[in-house]
mmCIF file of all heavy atoms in Angstrom:
data_model
loop_
_atom_site.group_PDB
_atom_site.id
_atom_site.type_symbol
_atom_site.label_atom_id
_atom_site.label_comp_id
_atom_site.label_asym_id
_atom_site.label_seq_id
_atom_site.Cartn_x
_atom_site.Cartn_y
_atom_site.Cartn_z
ATOM 1 N N ALA R 19 92.315 92.429 88.221
ATOM 2 C CA ALA R 19 91.270 93.458 88.162
ATOM 3 C C ALA R 19 90.720 93.634 86.745
ATOM 4 O O ALA R 19 91.447 93.549 85.754
ATOM 5 C CB ALA R 19 91.834 94.793 88.661
ATOM 6 N N SER R 20 89.430 93.921 86.687
ATOM 7 C CA SER R 20 88.729 94.106 85.411
ATOM 8 C C SER R 20 89.393 95.191 84.559
ATOM 9 O O SER R 20 89.764 96.250 85.059
ATOM 10 C CB SER R 20 87.276 94.491 85.690
ATOM 11 O OG SER R 20 86.577 94.705 84.488
ATOM 12 N N GLY R 21 89.523 94.902 83.282
ATOM 13 C CA GLY R 21 90.050 95.878 82.331
ATOM 14 C C GLY R 21 91.562 95.861 82.223
ATOM 15 O O GLY R 21 92.118 96.544 81.369
ATOM 16 N N THR R 22 92.223 95.063 83.075
ATOM 17 C CA THR R 22 93.694 95.038 83.041
ATOM 18 C C THR R 22 94.226 93.688 82.559
ATOM 19 O O THR R 22 95.434 93.522 82.431
ATOM 20 C CB THR R 22 94.310 95.381 84.417
ATOM 21 O OG1 THR R 22 94.065 94.312 85.322
ATOM 22 C CG2 THR R 22 93.734 96.664 84.985
ATOM 23 N N LYS R 44 86.981 92.130 81.394
ATOM 24 C CA LYS R 44 86.643 93.535 81.095
ATOM 25 C C LYS R 44 85.120 93.710 81.191
ATOM 26 O O LYS R 44 84.364 92.817 80.812
ATOM 27 C CB LYS R 44 87.145 93.828 79.663
ATOM 28 C CG LYS R 44 86.733 95.155 79.094
ATOM 29 C CD LYS R 44 87.706 96.227 79.440
ATOM 30 C CE LYS R 44 87.178 97.604 79.047
ATOM 31 N NZ LYS R 44 87.722 98.665 79.896
ATOM 32 N N SER R 45 84.678 94.859 81.682
ATOM 33 C CA SER R 45 83.239 95.093 81.835
ATOM 34 C C SER R 45 82.510 95.032 80.494
ATOM 35 O O SER R 45 83.046 95.455 79.464
ATOM 36 C CB SER R 45 83.000 96.463 82.473
ATOM 37 O OG SER R 45 83.567 96.513 83.755
ATOM 38 N N LEU R 59 95.010 106.445 77.125
ATOM 39 C CA LEU R 59 95.910 106.093 78.230
ATOM 40 C C LEU R 59 96.979 107.151 78.323
ATOM 41 O O LEU R 59 97.475 107.619 77.297
ATOM 42 C CB LEU R 59 96.593 104.750 77.965
ATOM 43 C CG LEU R 59 95.779 103.478 78.069
ATOM 44 C CD1 LEU R 59 96.652 102.282 77.700
ATOM 45 C CD2 LEU R 59 95.201 103.283 79.459
ATOM 46 N N MET R 66 98.801 105.917 86.304
ATOM 47 C CA MET R 66 98.327 105.921 84.929
ATOM 48 C C MET R 66 96.910 106.491 84.876
ATOM 49 O O MET R 66 96.093 106.228 85.768
ATOM 50 C CB MET R 66 98.310 104.489 84.407
ATOM 51 C CG MET R 66 98.078 104.385 82.941
ATOM 52 S SD MET R 66 98.431 102.718 82.381
ATOM 53 C CE MET R 66 96.889 101.964 82.696
ATOM 54 N N ASN R 68 93.450 106.684 82.644
ATOM 55 C CA ASN R 68 92.783 106.052 81.497
ATOM 56 C C ASN R 68 91.381 106.584 81.307
ATOM 57 O O ASN R 68 90.695 106.932 82.257
ATOM 58 C CB ASN R 68 92.827 104.517 81.612
ATOM 59 C CG ASN R 68 91.580 103.930 82.258
ATOM 60 O OD1 ASN R 68 90.553 103.747 81.601
ATOM 61 N ND2 ASN R 68 91.673 103.642 83.553
ATOM 62 N N ILE R 70 89.080 104.925 78.743
ATOM 63 C CA ILE R 70 88.785 103.975 77.663
ATOM 64 C C ILE R 70 87.325 104.118 77.225
ATOM 65 O O ILE R 70 86.985 103.943 76.056
ATOM 66 C CB ILE R 70 89.022 102.508 78.139
ATOM 67 C CG1 ILE R 70 90.419 102.337 78.751
ATOM 68 C CG2 ILE R 70 88.753 101.508 77.027
ATOM 69 C CD1 ILE R 70 91.554 102.260 77.793
ATOM 70 N N ILE R 72 84.953 102.173 78.544
ATOM 71 C CA ILE R 72 84.398 100.813 78.650
ATOM 72 C C ILE R 72 84.025 100.251 77.272
ATOM 73 O O ILE R 72 82.906 99.787 77.031
ATOM 74 C CB ILE R 72 83.235 100.725 79.667
ATOM 75 C CG1 ILE R 72 83.584 101.505 80.936
ATOM 76 C CG2 ILE R 72 82.948 99.255 80.015
ATOM 77 C CD1 ILE R 72 82.622 101.332 82.093
ATOM 78 N N SER R 98 82.057 90.965 84.510
ATOM 79 C CA SER R 98 81.834 92.312 85.041
ATOM 80 C C SER R 98 80.769 92.986 84.189
ATOM 81 O O SER R 98 80.907 93.055 82.971
ATOM 82 C CB SER R 98 83.136 93.120 84.999
ATOM 83 O OG SER R 98 82.871 94.489 85.271
ATOM 84 N N GLU R 123 80.717 90.685 88.928
ATOM 85 C CA GLU R 123 81.053 91.975 89.529
ATOM 86 C C GLU R 123 80.157 93.036 88.883
ATOM 87 O O GLU R 123 79.996 93.045 87.664
ATOM 88 C CB GLU R 123 82.529 92.284 89.218
ATOM 89 C CG GLU R 123 83.282 92.877 90.383
ATOM 90 C CD GLU R 123 84.766 93.074 90.083
ATOM 91 O OE1 GLU R 123 85.114 93.902 89.205
ATOM 92 O OE2 GLU R 123 85.577 92.417 90.739
ATOM 93 N N ASN R 125 79.985 96.696 88.020
ATOM 94 C CA ASN R 125 80.855 97.881 87.915
ATOM 95 C C ASN R 125 79.990 99.135 87.999
ATOM 96 O O ASN R 125 79.385 99.551 87.018
ATOM 97 C CB ASN R 125 81.634 97.825 86.596
ATOM 98 C CG ASN R 125 82.479 99.062 86.384
ATOM 99 O OD1 ASN R 125 82.562 99.930 87.260
ATOM 100 N ND2 ASN R 125 83.109 99.158 85.230
ATOM 101 N N LYS R 162 81.259 96.597 92.768
ATOM 102 C CA LYS R 162 82.517 97.339 92.699
ATOM 103 C C LYS R 162 82.220 98.824 92.864
ATOM 104 O O LYS R 162 81.593 99.447 92.010
ATOM 105 C CB LYS R 162 83.227 97.072 91.377
ATOM 106 C CG LYS R 162 84.597 97.715 91.316
ATOM 107 C CD LYS R 162 85.432 97.143 90.210
ATOM 108 C CE LYS R 162 86.792 97.818 90.125
ATOM 109 N NZ LYS R 162 87.600 97.286 89.042
ATOM 110 N N GLY R 188 88.696 99.507 95.433
ATOM 111 C CA GLY R 188 87.633 100.150 94.662
ATOM 112 C C GLY R 188 88.086 100.256 93.223
ATOM 113 O O GLY R 188 88.852 99.438 92.715
ATOM 114 N N ASN R 189 87.703 101.310 92.616
ATOM 115 C CA ASN R 189 88.008 101.550 91.204
ATOM 116 C C ASN R 189 89.014 102.706 91.108
ATOM 117 O O ASN R 189 89.642 103.064 92.112
ATOM 118 C CB ASN R 189 86.711 101.869 90.462
ATOM 119 C CG ASN R 189 86.711 101.384 89.034
ATOM 120 O OD1 ASN R 189 87.657 101.646 88.298
ATOM 121 N ND2 ASN R 189 85.666 100.687 88.631
ATOM 122 N N THR R 190 89.160 103.269 89.939
ATOM 123 C CA THR R 190 90.122 104.369 89.755
ATOM 124 C C THR R 190 89.624 105.663 90.414
ATOM 125 O O THR R 190 88.437 105.798 90.717
ATOM 126 C CB THR R 190 90.329 104.628 88.252
ATOM 127 O OG1 THR R 190 89.047 104.798 87.650
ATOM 128 C CG2 THR R 190 91.051 103.483 87.576
ATOM 129 N N SER R 213 95.038 105.459 88.292
ATOM 130 C CA SER R 213 95.294 104.168 88.940
ATOM 131 C C SER R 213 96.776 104.028 89.206
ATOM 132 O O SER R 213 97.579 104.857 88.783
ATOM 133 C CB SER R 213 94.807 103.036 88.034
ATOM 134 O OG SER R 213 95.532 103.038 86.817
ATOM 135 N N GLY R 214 97.155 102.951 89.879
ATOM 136 C CA GLY R 214 98.561 102.705 90.166
ATOM 137 C C GLY R 214 98.954 103.148 91.567
ATOM 138 O O GLY R 214 98.111 103.612 92.349
ATOM 139 N N PRO R 215 100.267 103.011 91.918
ATOM 140 C CA PRO R 215 100.735 103.203 93.295
ATOM 141 C C PRO R 215 100.217 104.465 94.017
ATOM 142 O O PRO R 215 99.913 104.382 95.217
ATOM 143 C CB PRO R 215 102.262 103.233 93.141
ATOM 144 C CG PRO R 215 102.505 102.345 91.962
ATOM 145 C CD PRO R 215 101.352 102.556 91.021
ATOM 146 N N ILE R 217 97.399 105.776 94.240
ATOM 147 C CA ILE R 217 96.032 105.719 94.792
ATOM 148 C C ILE R 217 95.908 104.724 95.952
ATOM 149 O O ILE R 217 94.839 104.610 96.554
ATOM 150 C CB ILE R 217 94.960 105.414 93.721
ATOM 151 C CG1 ILE R 217 94.975 103.931 93.275
ATOM 152 C CG2 ILE R 217 95.105 106.338 92.512
ATOM 153 C CD1 ILE R 217 93.712 103.521 92.494
ATOM 154 N N GLY R 240 91.920 96.864 96.837
ATOM 155 C CA GLY R 240 92.865 97.021 95.728
ATOM 156 C C GLY R 240 92.919 98.431 95.222
ATOM 157 O O GLY R 240 91.993 99.229 95.408
ATOM 158 N N GLY R 241 94.022 98.740 94.589
ATOM 159 C CA GLY R 241 94.321 100.083 94.102
ATOM 160 C C GLY R 241 95.798 100.299 94.337
ATOM 161 O O GLY R 241 96.235 100.366 95.494
ATOM 162 N N GLY R 242 96.592 100.307 93.269
ATOM 163 C CA GLY R 242 98.012 100.597 93.420
ATOM 164 C C GLY R 242 98.863 99.462 93.945
ATOM 165 O O GLY R 242 100.006 99.685 94.359
ATOM 166 N N VAL R 243 98.358 98.243 93.942
ATOM 167 C CA VAL R 243 99.152 97.135 94.476
ATOM 168 C C VAL R 243 100.259 96.770 93.484
ATOM 169 O O VAL R 243 100.019 96.594 92.293
ATOM 170 C CB VAL R 243 98.277 95.893 94.755
ATOM 171 C CG1 VAL R 243 99.140 94.704 95.149
ATOM 172 C CG2 VAL R 243 97.252 96.211 95.831
ATOM 173 N N ALA R 261 92.977 92.965 94.726
ATOM 174 C CA ALA R 261 93.022 93.051 93.259
ATOM 175 C C ALA R 261 94.337 93.652 92.772
ATOM 176 O O ALA R 261 94.873 94.579 93.376
ATOM 177 C CB ALA R 261 91.851 93.893 92.770
ATOM 178 N N LEU R 262 94.820 93.102 91.657
ATOM 179 C CA LEU R 262 95.991 93.664 90.961
ATOM 180 C C LEU R 262 95.508 94.212 89.626
ATOM 181 O O LEU R 262 94.871 93.490 88.871
ATOM 182 C CB LEU R 262 97.033 92.585 90.646
ATOM 183 C CG LEU R 262 97.541 91.677 91.743
ATOM 184 C CD1 LEU R 262 98.649 90.774 91.174
ATOM 185 C CD2 LEU R 262 98.087 92.490 92.890
ATOM 186 N N GLY R 263 95.830 95.473 89.328
ATOM 187 C CA GLY R 263 95.371 96.076 88.082
ATOM 188 C C GLY R 263 96.504 96.592 87.232
ATOM 189 O O GLY R 263 97.143 95.842 86.476
ATOM 190 N N THR R 264 96.824 97.873 87.415
ATOM 191 C CA THR R 264 97.805 98.558 86.579
ATOM 192 C C THR R 264 99.157 97.853 86.530
ATOM 193 O O THR R 264 99.857 97.923 85.523
ATOM 194 C CB THR R 264 97.969 100.018 87.089
ATOM 195 O OG1 THR R 264 96.677 100.633 87.013
ATOM 196 C CG2 THR R 264 98.938 100.826 86.264
ATOM 197 N N VAL R 265 99.520 97.159 87.595
ATOM 198 C CA VAL R 265 100.813 96.454 87.623
ATOM 199 C C VAL R 265 100.947 95.513 86.423
ATOM 200 O O VAL R 265 102.054 95.284 85.919
ATOM 201 C CB VAL R 265 101.001 95.709 88.975
ATOM 202 C CG1 VAL R 265 100.050 94.527 89.118
ATOM 203 C CG2 VAL R 265 102.439 95.259 89.171
ATOM 204 N N PHE R 267 100.233 96.045 83.377
ATOM 205 C CA PHE R 267 100.683 96.698 82.136
ATOM 206 C C PHE R 267 102.206 96.730 82.055
ATOM 207 O O PHE R 267 102.778 96.739 80.972
ATOM 208 C CB PHE R 267 100.095 98.118 82.024
ATOM 209 C CG PHE R 267 98.609 98.099 81.798
ATOM 210 C CD1 PHE R 267 97.727 98.294 82.841
ATOM 211 C CD2 PHE R 267 98.093 97.860 80.534
ATOM 212 C CE1 PHE R 267 96.358 98.256 82.639
ATOM 213 C CE2 PHE R 267 96.719 97.813 80.318
ATOM 214 C CZ PHE R 267 95.852 98.015 81.374
HETATM 215 C C1 FMN D 1 93.159 100.594 81.393
HETATM 216 C C2 FMN D 1 92.214 100.270 82.488
HETATM 217 C C3 FMN D 1 90.946 99.757 82.181
HETATM 218 C C4 FMN D 1 90.034 99.456 83.192
HETATM 219 N N1 FMN D 1 88.814 98.949 82.873
HETATM 220 C C5 FMN D 1 87.944 98.598 83.861
HETATM 221 C C6 FMN D 1 86.690 97.983 83.549
HETATM 222 O O1 FMN D 1 86.337 97.718 82.389
HETATM 223 N N2 FMN D 1 85.872 97.673 84.596
HETATM 224 C C7 FMN D 1 86.204 97.901 85.905
HETATM 225 O O2 FMN D 1 85.428 97.573 86.807
HETATM 226 N N3 FMN D 1 87.409 98.472 86.219
HETATM 227 C C8 FMN D 1 88.259 98.816 85.232
HETATM 228 N N4 FMN D 1 89.480 99.361 85.566
HETATM 229 C C9 FMN D 1 89.824 99.604 86.978
HETATM 230 C C10 FMN D 1 90.691 98.484 87.559
HETATM 231 O O3 FMN D 1 89.996 97.256 87.560
HETATM 232 C C11 FMN D 1 91.133 98.812 89.006
HETATM 233 O O4 FMN D 1 90.000 98.834 89.836
HETATM 234 C C12 FMN D 1 91.854 100.155 89.130
HETATM 235 O O5 FMN D 1 92.741 100.335 88.046
HETATM 236 C C13 FMN D 1 92.617 100.330 90.446
HETATM 237 O O6 FMN D 1 93.572 99.334 90.659
HETATM 238 P P1 FMN D 1 95.141 99.481 90.222
HETATM 239 O O7 FMN D 1 95.649 100.749 90.824
HETATM 240 O O8 FMN D 1 95.786 98.255 90.744
HETATM 241 O O9 FMN D 1 95.133 99.530 88.728
HETATM 242 C C14 FMN D 1 90.401 99.683 84.549
HETATM 243 C C15 FMN D 1 91.670 100.181 84.850
HETATM 244 C C16 FMN D 1 92.585 100.474 83.852
HETATM 245 C C17 FMN D 1 93.935 101.011 84.229
#
Side-chain angles (χ1 to χ4, degrees):
S20 179
T22 70
K44 172 88 189 152
S45 298
L59 288 177
M66 190 168 86
N68 94 81
I70 308 283
I72 317 189
S98 169
E123 221 176 66
N125 176 5
K162 185 164 178 181
N189 213 310
T190 52
S213 63
I217 74 165
V243 173
L262 308 184
T264 301
V265 69
F267 291 99

